Amino acid sequence: QVQLVESGGGLVQAGGSLRLSCAASGRTFSSAAMGWFRQAPGKEREFVATISRSGAYTDYGDSVKGRFTISRDNAKNTVYLQMNSLKPEDTAAYYCAADPTRTYGTIRYQDYKYWGQGTQVTVSS
């Protein structure tokens, strides 16, 4: 069992930065691939980034490549999403997710078993 709690969302101007954190409880965190997804009102859940168990492998959605960075600290049971050069179209609820069955995360939200409650990111123009 893994419980996830996101934090760090808020209101920021276009071009600004935010750092999201996802704190996990449970002993399986270090054995879980982790992912970030986002969902805007009226839109489908969108893949943002994923990181492997060790942190050595990462992947990003095309819309955030070069601007967002995912990382993890297994000693602190925390995964991060550093978001730079934010755009109004990045406005969404951001969710972290855990997949304890895979070494490497996937881009499919259906593959993730555990989810946080989400944190809102709003980017003003």
Side-chain angles (χ1 to χ4, degrees):
Q1 186 79 13
V2 177
Q3 293 181 326
L4 306 172
V5 179
E6 302 98 333
S7 62
L11 174 64
V12 63
Q13 288 188 333
S17 298
L18 281 175
R19 188 194 197 200
L20 304 184
S21 298
C22 174
S25 63
R27 295 184 294 178
T28 60
F29 174 80
S30 61
S31 63
M34 300 296 296
W36 284 98
F37 292 79
R38 66 187 183 186
Q39 189 165 21
K43 295 188 177 181
E44 292 187 354
R45 190 161 297 192
E46 178 187 8
F47 167 72
V48 175
T50 186
I51 189 166
S52 63
R53 291 175 176 177
S54 69
Y57 171 80
T58 59
D59 193 16
Y60 297 91
D62 289 341
S63 62
V64 307
K65 280 181 180 177
R67 300 187 297 123
F68 291 12
T69 302
I70 188 172
S71 62
R72 69 189 295 165
D73 185 337
N74 286 343
K76 296 182 178 180
N77 279 11
T78 303
V79 63
Y80 305 97
L81 185 68
Q82 177 66 43
M83 306 186 295
N84 298 330
S85 302
L86 283 161
K87 304 174 181 180
E89 51 264 45
D90 293 319
T91 295
Y94 283 70
Y95 300 89
C96 72
D99 179 359
T101 67
R102 290 180 171 82
T103 298
Y104 303 100
T106 77
I107 67 172
R108 288 165 32 94
Y109 71 85
Q110 299 91 335
D111 291 336
Y112 292 81
K113 182 175 182 179
Y114 300 106
W115 289 85
Q117 82 290 348
T119 186
Q120 179 67 34
V121 172
T122 302
V123 184
S124 63
S125 57

